[in-house]
Amino acid sequence: MDKHIEFEHIVKTFPGQKALDDVSFSIRKGEIHAIIGENGAGKSTLLNILHGVFPATSGEIKIAGKAVKFSSIADAINFGIVKVHQEIVSIPEMTVAENLFMGKEPGRFGIVDKQKMNKDTEELLKRLKCDIRPTDKMGDLSTGQKQMISIAKALEVNASIISFDEPTSSLSDKEVETLFGIIEDLKNKGITILYISHKMNEIFRMCDRSTVLRDGKFIKTIEMDKTTRDEVIQAMVGRDISLFAKRTMPCQKKGDAPVLQVEGLCGERFRDISFDLYPGEILGFFGLVGAGRTEVMRAIFGADSYGKGTVRLKGQEIHCKSPYDAIERGIALISENRKEEGVLPNFDNMDNIALASLKKYMSGMVINNGKKIKNAKDKGSQVGLKPNDPSFMTVSLSGGNAQKVILARWMSTDAYVMIFDEPTKGIDIGAKADIYLLMEKMAAAGLGIIMVSSELTEVMGMSDRILVMSDGAITGDLSKSEFSEENILNYTVEESVS
């Protein structure tokens, strides 16, 4: 098969950092080619150079044998190289057709030919087998439908190369299957697909080959039908590591007195929730999307209200009316919604870590920056933050390291109960292993850990017990000896246990 894209000795240096170091490999025409590696490996930097976001410091890119150099994103698009973004920039009040043809509306003498624009949009959407009308408002579409419009934009410019960066992270299972079908159709039409994902099952299912980057360097290109998951992961992280979560310590449960007791908790999206959590225990919560797991955790944490039921912490009944109440009493919640409820983009590591424990750093009425810096360095070291620099802007960190900043924040509160809601969502395998180890260390120190996860292998690998939820109720309470994929999944569709 002909080489379509050739990266030759690509180097990219930012101030104080070499993001890409002499990267050379090629991509065949009409293949689905994954670019994989841990966060910070250089994947996005390489794509940004290809898409004209910024130039390489040195090196050359060839397309179909000819050297190219793009000075802007528009240059790359005009050449037929398009990126499908996770979250496309759109104007919600405008129609699909208006968004799709924005800036290049058909017509003459400044008068837009809406009939032609709608007709052309309809043809593009038919090619994608989308149940979307050109006149639909963009703001009424789901995330998956908006992504289809992004793909339609690529087809409109007759792209020969399309890249997808974590395309399924915000999609439902049905939307994922639709997307995969479209990507296969694009491949069959001879379009070259570049694919970035942390999800190994997607890469093995969809991709012909994968190129591994590590610390900005090319490691190897792998034929996916001739390798194993363990081999791919070892190439990515440079060390032997299990793909799945795996405990390195036995259960650390301490004593017979629960640290947290929930009895008969009822809310808008859940009912009759009862469970105990013990010091040193990792309690997994599993269920399908919409089962009500996150809503239960937010109610315990005081972020949402609940109708009836009781919550006891260390034997004392509590009713947290706000997250501040919960933090004061010793309950921490690492939210799954890290974009909106995680780090503050205009804060450095020191201030992001200090957010939930500001009282600790007061000297009288004044915040003592020296105390904040000391705490940030100490907790940053405990979580393995890279770089462990209190003044580093958190927004510039990789996803895995940003999650470690959030962990460091809650470790600074001296909580008795740590609730992890999808703790490893969207982060790379190496960072996942670090977070699993941190959870075990917290359990060994006597904290009660609740882990909400949609990854069955993760919840099975890390939990001492698993509670399964379905339709707002707990349907299963499983001990370690009862863990099996079939057993757990059966409880996700059962009627609630009375």
Side-chain angles (χ1 to χ4, degrees), residues 35 50 115 137 281 289 305 317 319 330 367 388 391 432:
I35 301 175
L50 176 65
Q115 188 175 357
K137 288 282 180 68
E281 181 181 37
V289 174
S305 61
E317 186 172 337
H319 192 140
I367 291 178
N388 188 16
S391 63
K432 281 186 179 186

Side-chain angles (χ1 to χ4, degrees), residues 334-368:
I334 293 97
S335 170
E336 71 165 331
N337 188 2
R338 292 197 288 277
K339 278 189 178 178
E340 294 177 17
E341 300 171 6
V343 299
L344 295 182
N346 56 336
F347 276 28
D348 57 21
N349 290 344
M350 172 181 72
D351 286 324
N352 265 305
I353 290 171
L355 270 178
S357 54
L358 286 173
K359 283 185 178 179
K360 282 188 171 184
Y361 320 111
M362 300 297 291
S363 295
M365 298 292 290
V366 179
I367 291 178
N368 186 321

Side-chain angles (χ1 to χ4, degrees), residues 164-306:
F164 293 82
D165 193 349
E166 299 289 352
T168 65
S169 62
S170 302
L171 303 188
S172 67
D173 291 345
K174 184 178 179 182
E175 288 173 333
V176 168
E177 289 303 317
T178 300
L179 176 66
F180 286 171
I182 288 167
I183 290 175
E184 287 284 356
D185 286 344
L186 294 173
K187 173 189 171 180
N188 292 336
K189 290 178 171 66
I191 294 172
T192 302
I193 306 294
L194 279 66
Y195 196 90
I196 290 181
S197 176
H198 290 308
K199 298 177 181 178
M200 283 291 116
N201 60 327
E202 290 183 9
I203 291 167
F204 273 86
R205 174 179 169 181
M206 295 298 298
C207 299
D208 302 299
R209 296 191 302 157
S210 292
T211 290
V212 181
L213 300 181
R214 187 170 73 234
D215 298 327
K217 295 183 173 66
F218 167 80
I219 301 301
K220 64 195 303 187
T221 294
I222 303 168
E223 301 276 351
M224 297 313 296
D225 61 354
K226 298 176 182 175
T227 190
T228 66
R229 296 179 180 222
D230 287 345
E231 286 173 0
V232 173
I233 293 157
Q234 189 167 357
M236 286 171 61
V237 300
R239 61 188 188 276
D240 246 338
I241 184 170
S242 170
L243 172 66
F244 304 128
K246 185 182 289 185
R247 291 289 286 271
T248 62
M249 307 176 192
C251 178
Q252 301 292 314
K253 178 182 171 184
K254 295 170 173 60
D256 297 322
V259 65
L260 181 71
Q261 295 167 281
V262 177
E263 296 176 9
L265 207 65
C266 296
E268 190 176 331
R269 300 284 301 278
F270 55 87
R271 64 192 182 280
D272 197 25
I273 302 298
S274 299
F275 66 90
D276 293 340
L277 172 70
Y278 292 86
E281 181 181 37
I282 299 178
L283 176 63
F285 265 76
F286 182 77
L288 303 179
V289 174
R293 301 161 303 160
T294 293
E295 289 81 0
V296 170
M297 301 309 149
R298 286 177 59 84
I300 293 169
F301 188 61
D304 294 333
S305 61
Y306 56 88

Side-chain angles (χ1 to χ4, degrees), residues 135-163:
T135 53
D136 286 343
K137 288 282 180 68
M138 199 72 178
D140 294 335
L141 303 186
S142 70
T143 302
Q145 288 174 318
K146 288 176 183 176
Q147 202 170 66
M148 296 308 159
I149 303 306
S150 192
I151 297 171
K153 283 188 174 185
L155 296 180
E156 194 271 328
V157 299
N158 290 318
S160 60
I161 298 167
I162 303 177
S163 72

Side-chain angles (χ1 to χ4, degrees), residues 13-53:
T13 304
F14 296 105
Q17 180 194 10
K18 186 176 273 190
L20 293 172
D21 186 2
D22 195 28
V23 171
S24 297
F25 68 96
S26 63
I27 296 170
R28 297 167 183 160
K29 182 171 176 55
E31 74 170 334
I32 303 174
H33 192 112
I35 301 175
I36 58 177
E38 297 189 75
N39 285 327
K43 309 182 298 293
S44 294
T45 302
L46 190 68
L47 278 190
N48 282 335
I49 293 170
L50 176 65
H51 287 287
V53 176

